Amino acid sequence: EHLPKLEREAEQQLMRSRLKAWHGIAILAYLNDNPVALKASEACIMLSRALGDHRMLVINLAIAGWERMALEDNAGALTALEEGLSVGRASADRYATGILLAAMAWYALTVDKDLEASRRHEAESLQLLEGETFSWGALQAMVFPFRGAMLRGDYAKARERFAKALPLFEQMGDEHRVNMIRSWMAHMQRHEGHLQEAAAEYRKTILLWQKLGHRGAIAHQLESFAFVAVALEQAPRAARLFGVAEALREKIEMPMDPQERVEYDEQVGALHGRMEQRAFASAWAEGRAMTMEQAIAYALEQAHK
C-alpha cells in the first residue's frame, strides 16, 4: 500500500508473470504428474488471491480439486471445489464456472456416487461452456462429462460426446487428449464384449502413449490388455501384464484412480481364483521382471493372436 505507483505496477507485473508461469506448469503436469500439478495450482491460487484475479482463482481451484481427487484427498478436493464454485458464481464468470462445474460433476460421480448430481452439474457445465469449443480449457473440462456418461453406462451419449470432441482436439494437435478419447472408446468396446476390436485399438493407443512418454497411461493400457486376457481365459498372460503394470506404477509413483481400482480389483480377484497359487505368483513375478519396453512388445505380440 505504501509503494510508489510505478513500484506497485512493477510488483503486480512480476506477480502476473509468476502466475502465468505456474499456470503453464499446472496445465503441462495436469493429471500426468499429480503432485507437481497440485503444487503449481496452489501457487496460482495464492497469486490469484493477491491479484484479485477471480477467473484464474476459480480455474486453479478446479485444477487443485481434480488433482486432490487423483491423490485421494477427497476432503481437500471438496473444499477447493466449493470455494471455486462460490467465487465463480459471485463473479458471474461463465467460462471459469463451467470448468469448475465439470470438476464438481466428476466429484459427485466418483466420490459421492450421486448420479443425479453428476448429471445436473454436467448439464450446467456444458451449457456454460457452449461456444467455447476452441478453448483448450473448456474442451478439457468437457472431457469429464464425456467420461461421466461412459462410467454411468450411457455408451450412446458417451460416443456422441466423444465424436464431437475428437475432431476439435485433433485440430488443436492435442495428441494426448485424442489418444485418451480413443482409449476410452476401446474400453467401451471391451465392456460390450468386443474384445478383439478393443485389443486392436489398444495396440494403437499404447504406441502413442509410448511416443508421448506417458508412463501412467502405459500402465493403464497394460492393465487393459490384461482385462482382455482375463476375458479370453488367457490367465498366465493376464498375470504377467498385471505384474508389469504394478511394477511400473510403483516405479513412477502413479496410482490408479478410484474408478480404475474398482475394475482392477474385480479382475485380479477373478484371475486369482482361476489360477493355482504357485502359477499365479510365478507369472506375476515374470511380469514384474519385464522392462516397460519388453511389456509393450509382449502386449502387442499377443493383441492380435
Side-chain angles (χ1 to χ4, degrees):
E1 294 180 353
H2 303 292
L3 288 173
K5 182 179 178 181
L6 288 177
E7 288 188 33
R8 286 202 307 273
E9 290 177 354
E11 178 67 17
Q12 287 209 334
Q13 186 59 46
L14 178 59
M15 290 171 68
R16 289 197 177 279
S17 296
R18 288 175 175 166
L19 175 58
K20 184 176 180 180
W22 277 115
H23 189 60
I25 293 170
I27 294 299
L28 288 171
Y30 172 71
L31 298 183
N32 294 326
D33 189 330
N34 299 319
V36 168
L38 179 59
K39 177 182 177 181
S41 65
E42 289 181 335
C44 290
I45 289 167
M46 181 184 68
L47 289 163
S48 298
R49 292 192 204 284
L51 289 164
D53 189 329
H54 293 145
R55 170 167 288 193
M56 286 294 281
L57 176 58
V58 173
I59 290 172
N60 282 283
L61 283 166
I63 294 173
W66 269 312
E67 295 301 340
R68 287 192 180 279
M69 280 187 276
L71 294 166
E72 300 186 29
D73 176 11
N74 293 329
L78 184 59
T79 297
L81 296 176
E82 287 180 337
E83 180 187 355
L85 186 58
S86 176
V87 175
R89 293 205 188 284
S91 61
D93 189 321
R94 293 175 61 87
Y95 177 77
T97 306
I99 290 174
L100 196 288
L101 279 164
M104 288 291 287
W106 191 246
Y107 186 94
L109 178 65
T110 61
V111 179
D112 289 341
K113 315 297 183 187
D114 187 336
L115 302 187
E116 183 52 42
S118 174
R119 289 190 187 96
R120 189 172 63 250
H121 292 324
E122 281 180 13
E124 186 179 0
S125 173
L126 292 171
Q127 179 185 23
L128 291 173
L129 294 173
E130 189 176 0
E132 296 282 357
T133 51
F134 288 98
S135 157
W136 184 91
L139 261 181
Q140 178 55 48
M142 291 176 195
V143 163
F144 284 88
F146 304 161
R147 191 182 178 198
M150 182 185 79
L151 290 179
R152 289 193 299 270
D154 189 350
Y155 292 167
K157 177 62 71 175
R159 286 190 171 102
E160 174 190 326
R161 290 176 172 177
F162 287 157
K164 290 179 180 178
L166 195 58
L168 296 172
F169 279 121
E170 287 173 338
Q171 288 175 38
M172 289 184 174
D174 189 338
E175 291 184 297
H176 182 112
R177 311 304 160 193
V178 168
N179 212 42
M180 183 170 63
I181 290 173
R182 287 177 174 158
S183 295
W184 288 345
M185 293 179 79
H187 297 336
M188 288 191 289
Q189 288 183 312
R190 176 168 55 79
H191 291 149
E192 290 172 327
H194 306 306
L195 301 176
Q196 298 301 339
E197 293 87 343
E201 194 62 27
Y202 291 145
R203 192 171 187 273
K204 299 173 188 173
T205 53
I206 198 171
L207 288 173
L208 186 52
W209 289 134
Q210 184 180 28
K211 172 192 166 187
L212 296 174
H214 193 335
R215 294 179 294 171
I218 290 171
H220 182 54
Q221 213 82 108
L222 291 169
E223 289 154 1
S224 298
F225 276 115
F227 297 153
V228 172
V230 171
L232 293 174
E233 299 185 356
Q234 297 169 335
R237 184 181 71 166
R240 292 184 192 103
L241 289 165
F242 280 135
V244 70
E246 177 186 68
L248 178 57
R249 285 191 181 278
E250 289 173 2
K251 181 177 181 180
I252 63 177
E253 299 182 349
M254 179 70 77
M256 61 191 75
D257 70 34
Q259 294 305 304
E260 293 168 346
R261 172 62 67 179
V262 170
E263 183 176 20
Y264 177 87
D265 288 345
E266 178 184 288
Q267 294 285 324
V268 171
L271 178 65
H272 200 280
R274 294 177 192 174
M275 296 183 71
E276 188 272 327
Q277 178 62 33
R278 187 173 298 178
F280 178 88
S282 176
W284 195 284
E286 288 172 16
R288 287 187 60 89
M290 292 183 189
T291 65
M292 186 180 75
E293 291 73 19
Q294 288 170 335
I296 292 171
Y298 179 67
L300 295 178
E301 173 192 339
Q302 298 292 338
H304 54 80
K305 284 189 176 180

